[in-house]
Amino acid sequence: YNRSILVPLERVSQGFKDISMTFQSNPLTSDLIALKNENAIARSIRNIVFTIPGEKFFNESFGSNINRSLFDNIDELSALVIKDQITESIENFEPRVDTVKVVTSPDFDNNSFDVVLTYEIIGADIPPQELQFVLQQTR
């Protein structure tokens, strides 16, 4: 008899390249400086987290709603809401990564949240990447 074996499909990653947001040029070639692989994905994740929905033309839903939560009380509940918003936005807009863990900690002394994001790049044979940043109210 014929026995079918189902093998899960694994997305195989390729090299990634993005333009640096500083728009600086290489002094030797005059080309724009490019971010590659891990750095390109880290910049993409930061852009997703720090973009307010409606800021990106032709994609009104792109970004995260963390700006709404930054003006709430600095506490564990707000940290949990921000964690969920970051996780959801990365799952929705960055298909090159699997989010492993997001840790959001309130920093009461500085009136901010410390965020540590650990993720795996799909199809890349590299260890999980870690991205750290601080979320603070801006006026």
Side-chain angles (χ1 to χ4, degrees):
Y1 65 84
N2 186 359
R3 196 185 264 193
S4 297
I5 299 175
L6 297 176
V7 178
L9 294 175
E10 182 177 329
R11 293 183 280 180
V12 177
S13 180
Q14 54 189 0
F16 303 110
K17 187 185 258 189
D18 290 340
I19 296 173
S20 172
M21 296 303 288
T22 62
F23 292 104
Q24 292 177 332
S25 61
N26 183 321
L28 299 176
T29 64
S30 297
D31 290 339
L32 290 175
I33 294 175
L35 300 174
K36 296 180 182 176
N37 299 329
E38 298 88 20
N39 292 332
I41 291 174
R43 172 56 64 183
S44 173
I45 289 171
R46 287 182 63 87
N47 287 342
I48 291 168
V49 171
F50 288 106
T51 299
I52 299 169
E55 281 186 324
K56 185 174 181 182
F57 294 120
F58 306 110
N59 191 347
E60 298 293 318
S61 63
F62 181 86
S64 71
N65 288 315
I66 62 166
N67 63 318
R68 294 180 184 168
S69 301
L70 293 178
F71 291 95
D72 291 343
N73 293 330
I74 306 288
D75 58 15
E76 295 294 332
L77 182 60
S78 295
L80 183 61
V81 169
I82 290 171
K83 173 187 171 185
D84 291 343
Q85 290 169 337
I86 291 172
T87 302
E88 180 182 346
S89 63
I90 292 170
E91 287 173 357
N92 289 338
F93 300 109
E94 186 49 83
R96 301 176 289 184
V97 303
D98 279 333
T99 306
V100 175
K101 185 166 73 168
V102 177
V103 177
T104 309
S105 307
D107 182 354
F108 300 105
D109 295 335
N110 294 314
N111 211 21
S112 62
F113 294 93
D114 297 325
V115 178
V116 178
L117 173 66
T118 306
Y119 58 92
E120 291 181 356
I121 299 174
I122 295 173
D125 191 23
I126 58 173
Q129 302 292 301
E130 185 174 280
L131 182 61
Q132 298 180 12
F133 49 88
V134 175
L135 298 174
Q136 196 168 26
Q137 302 171 8
T138 57
R139 296 181 194 206

